[in-house]
Amino acid sequence: MLAVQGQDWRSARWALGVRTPGTTVADVHAAFSEARIVRSWPMRGTIHVVAAEDIGWMQTALNHRVLAGAPKRRETIGLGDATLDRIVDVSLAALRGGNALDRDGLSAVWTDAGIEWQSGWRYHVIWWLCQNGLTTFGPVHDSGEPLLVRADEWITAPRTLTGDDALGELACRYTAARGPVTEKDFAWWTGLTVREARRALALTAEAGGVIPVRLNDASGPQYWVTPETLGTILPASRPTPQLSEWLLLPAFDEHLLGYTDRAAQLDPAHFDRIVPGRNGMFLATVVSDGRVRGTWRRGQRIGSGIELTALPGERVDPSALMPELARWCDFHGFAPLTFDLQETPKPQISGT
């Protein structure tokens, strides 16, 4: 997958679990604590879960698109460059020697060092430390979330890719996991310009890693696929491995977040029901045959099960979802749960 959305920690764990049948949340925690995967900011100013060996070269290839806006942000929150440098030095010193700290512990170090920091600075400073490859979120704390560590100590075998090699790797692996895709999909996901994305895909195509295809006929829109993917969708090809017909996908899942055009997965008329208020907070989705049919969440009351809400005009089948629910419970180590089918909210009418 190269990277999966990681801003919601619980959802990020299930994003890995749903794609690796038979694993548990303990397996995910172990992968973090064994420095196989990390949680950091590779692109778009958005936190992701990434293979530890990949985070460094990805940041090298993509940081030019992210870091340019940082000075303006610091000006807005009143954080001067000299103070930032001081906080960075103090942070790296505190983490030296394999020390690991949570966010509160790191900011306490700043206070102990006599730095009069403001609450609005903490997110930016931690982002800056991680985005520049100085720190990363690695081992999982007893509280259940990864702790900050020095990247140079934690990641012992980083890959080194630069220039065209890095661009080609980005294009090939993104397309392999999500193709067919458009150049705009790839540009949006990486944060590259369309021109840069086009060049990356061209480099990969020259090496045989991706193939351009047209939808329907020669005048149709152009997509990119890997040769392996193309071999599974051509007529008379070998049968494609079948996923479960019904899936419970987490919030912020790459099924939607991996693309800029999501019409194949979701009726655009229903986008506001997946991202209420268009505030960037993607809900967990019920998916059947690749299409989003509804949303789901754990009930808020003690002893409640999983609440299912169908999208308008769609149907969700609780009985068909029971194997997926059992898998979700097994992954988290929960006792068996049941479904509670919710009434589909009526659309809001302007002026009422």
Side-chain angles (χ1 to χ4, degrees):
M1 296 289 290
L2 191 58
V4 298
Q5 296 277 329
Q7 58 266 68
D8 184 278
W9 170 236
R10 295 181 183 277
S11 296
R13 296 184 306 183
W14 178 233
L16 300 177
V18 74
R19 290 170 171 85
T20 50
T23 60
T24 67
V25 71
D27 296 321
V28 174
H29 287 185
F32 276 96
S33 296
E34 294 166 6
R36 288 186 283 139
I37 55 178
V38 296
R39 190 169 174 232
S40 190
W41 285 264
M43 59 211 170
R44 299 200 321 268
T46 303
I47 195 166
H48 285 75
V49 175
V50 188
E53 65 179 14
D54 289 328
I55 185 62
W57 70 261
M58 289 181 68
Q59 289 172 330
T60 298
L62 301 171
N63 271 1
H64 68 287
R65 295 287 296 162
V66 182
L67 296 179
K72 185 175 181 179
R73 175 57 183 163
R74 287 198 293 274
E75 182 180 348
T76 300
I77 62 177
L79 174 57
D81 290 346
T83 303
L84 175 64
D85 290 343
R86 171 70 174 143
I87 295 176
V88 168
D89 289 343
V90 167
S91 299
L92 294 178
L95 295 171
R96 184 179 295 121
N99 290 331
L101 295 169
D102 61 15
R103 298 167 192 261
D104 290 339
L106 186 65
S107 55
V109 168
W110 307 340
T111 300
D112 293 342
I115 300 171
E116 296 182 1
W117 59 279
Q118 300 175 25
S119 60
W121 296 359
R122 188 167 75 169
Y123 181 89
H124 181 85
V125 171
I126 292 175
W127 165 78
W128 178 261
L129 285 163
C130 290
Q131 187 77 65
N132 282 283
L134 302 173
T135 63
T136 189
F137 285 99
V140 177
H141 188 259
D142 292 342
S143 63
E145 289 206 32
L147 299 174
L148 276 165
V149 291
R150 285 181 61 130
D152 60 351
E153 295 180 352
W154 187 251
I155 302 173
T156 58
R159 294 185 68 196
T160 302
L161 291 171
T162 58
D164 289 352
D165 290 338
L167 285 176
E169 182 84 353
L170 284 168
C172 187
R173 290 175 63 184
Y174 169 80
T175 306
R178 297 166 182 82
V181 295
T182 66
E183 63 184 27
K184 289 185 177 179
D185 288 330
F186 178 55
W188 178 85
W189 190 81
T190 56
L192 293 170
T193 65
V194 172
R195 177 178 294 182
E196 290 170 325
R198 189 175 296 139
R199 171 173 168 74
L201 287 164
L203 288 167
T204 310
E206 289 176 6
V210 297
I211 300 171
V213 295
R214 295 283 179 180
L215 186 63
N216 297 324
D217 56 42
S219 63
Q222 179 172 281
Y223 288 81
W224 294 88
V225 297
T226 62
E228 294 77 14
T229 300
L230 190 62
T232 67
I233 59 178
L234 288 174
S237 66
R238 66 183 184 277
T240 303
Q242 294 297 307
L243 293 173
S244 169
E245 181 180 359
W246 288 85
L247 297 168
L248 295 172
L249 296 185
F252 301 100
D253 193 75
E254 291 290 321
H255 176 249
L256 290 178
L257 271 293
Y259 311 84
T260 184
D261 181 357
R262 297 152 184 152
Q265 306 97 302
L266 173 69
D267 185 335
H270 296 154
F271 183 76
D272 283 345
R273 295 180 182 271
I274 305 301
V275 191
R278 294 181 179 263
N279 60 2
M281 303 297 290
F282 282 70
L283 301 183
T285 54
V286 179
V287 173
S288 171
D289 294 327
R291 293 285 291 181
V292 177
R293 310 296 182 184
T295 60
W296 66 281
R297 67 173 187 173
R298 180 77 181 268
Q300 302 299 306
R301 298 186 302 274
I302 296 176
S304 59
I306 299 297
E307 297 177 354
L308 298 176
T309 304
L311 295 175
E314 296 285 358
R315 180 186 66 88
V316 296
D317 185 347
S319 62
L321 277 164
M322 286 305 296
E324 183 73 348
L325 177 59
R327 191 157 74 96
W328 182 82
C329 290
D330 289 344
F331 175 80
H332 290 93
F334 295 155
L337 296 173
T338 58
F339 286 117
D340 180 10
L341 195 59
Q342 305 292 297
E343 182 179 353
T344 301
K346 294 181 172 59
Q348 296 292 318
I349 301 176
S350 177
T352 63

